[in-house]
Every structure is written in structure tokens, then in C-alpha cells.
Amino acid sequence: MAVSRMSARSARMAAGLAIAGGIGVAGLLVPAVGAAQPPAGGEFLRTTCNAAQVESALHEHAPDLAARVDSHPEFRSRLDELLNLPPAEREQRIATFRQQHPDLGGHRPMPAGVDPGVVKGELQQVLDTCHNY
């Protein structure tokens, strides 16, 4: 019985980490533009492309960002898990997670030397082309 409770707890924690990871990458990759805009990364996380499609498009259109994501395998795994959910389920999990953890997610500052406008343009290209992969 204790193993079962631990397994369920571990599964919930893993799901939470995947959502936090997805929100975190979106926050790092897509800055919030203004109050009228959806939360940071909203469009990126609402894509109907799966993880493999996003990965292929990211490597082609935003190789620096792809390298940054690839350099963090655990994070990459969480993002893949989130992107492989159906978009409606993905959005529901993100919304639930944000309600339960308002201090996580949201806007993340860009690393020094990274132009937010360039990143946003690259990610828009990824979103516009990921269905081709």
C-alpha cells in the first residue's frame, strides 16, 4: 500500500515537473510582450505540433535555442512529454498547474546577449513550419 501511494505521489510530482519545465522553457524562449498578450509561451505551448516536429523545426530555424534546450536533457524530456500531450489536455494541465503554483512560470528574463525580438521571430518560424516535419 505504501509503495502504491509513493508511486502515485511520484507520478504527480513528475507530471508537475513536466508542466513546470514546459512553462519554464516557454518563459525562457518566448518573452511576454504585454498585459493583453497571453501568458509567456502560450502560443508555443498551444501548438498542435508534437515534440518531434517542434524539435526538427527548432533545429532548422533556431539552432542556438535548440542547442540550449538540448544541453539540458532532463528539461528536454519534460518539454517533450508536455508537447506530446493533445493541445487541449496540455493547456488544461498548464492552467491547473498555474492556478496551483502562481509563483512559477510566467515571464523569464532573457539571458544576457540574447535579443528577445530575434528569439520571438525564430520561434514564430518554428511554429509556422513545424507541421512540415
Side-chain angles (χ1 to χ4, degrees):
M1 185 74 143
V3 171
S4 177
R5 273 189 254 155
M6 284 301 288
S7 296
R9 186 179 311 169
S10 296
R12 283 192 308 273
M13 180 173 273
L17 290 174
I19 292 169
I23 292 170
V25 75
L28 285 170
L29 299 179
V30 184
V33 176
Q37 298 291 326
E43 187 175 344
F44 184 74
L45 292 174
R46 280 192 297 272
T47 183
T48 56
C49 294
N50 64 33
Q53 290 172 307
V54 169
E55 176 183 355
S56 295
L58 194 63
H59 278 272
E60 184 170 330
H61 298 289
D64 291 340
L65 294 175
R68 197 175 325 152
V69 171
D70 290 345
S71 70
H72 300 283
E74 185 178 334
F75 171 75
R76 174 55 182 264
S77 175
R78 292 179 198 150
L79 179 62
D80 287 353
E81 181 181 332
L82 188 62
L83 286 172
N84 281 325
L85 293 173
E89 185 178 342
R90 186 184 318 150
E91 284 197 61
Q92 180 57 45
R93 285 195 187 182
I94 291 166
T96 300
F97 184 84
R98 282 186 171 148
Q99 288 174 349
Q100 293 171 348
H101 306 281
D103 54 321
L104 298 176
H107 179 67
R108 298 278 194 266
M110 287 289 177
V114 176
D115 181 345
V118 170
V119 172
K120 186 174 181 179
E122 288 175 341
L123 282 178
Q124 190 59 55
Q125 259 190 313
V126 168
L127 292 172
D128 291 345
T129 62
C130 63
H131 289 94
N132 298 330
Y133 298 93

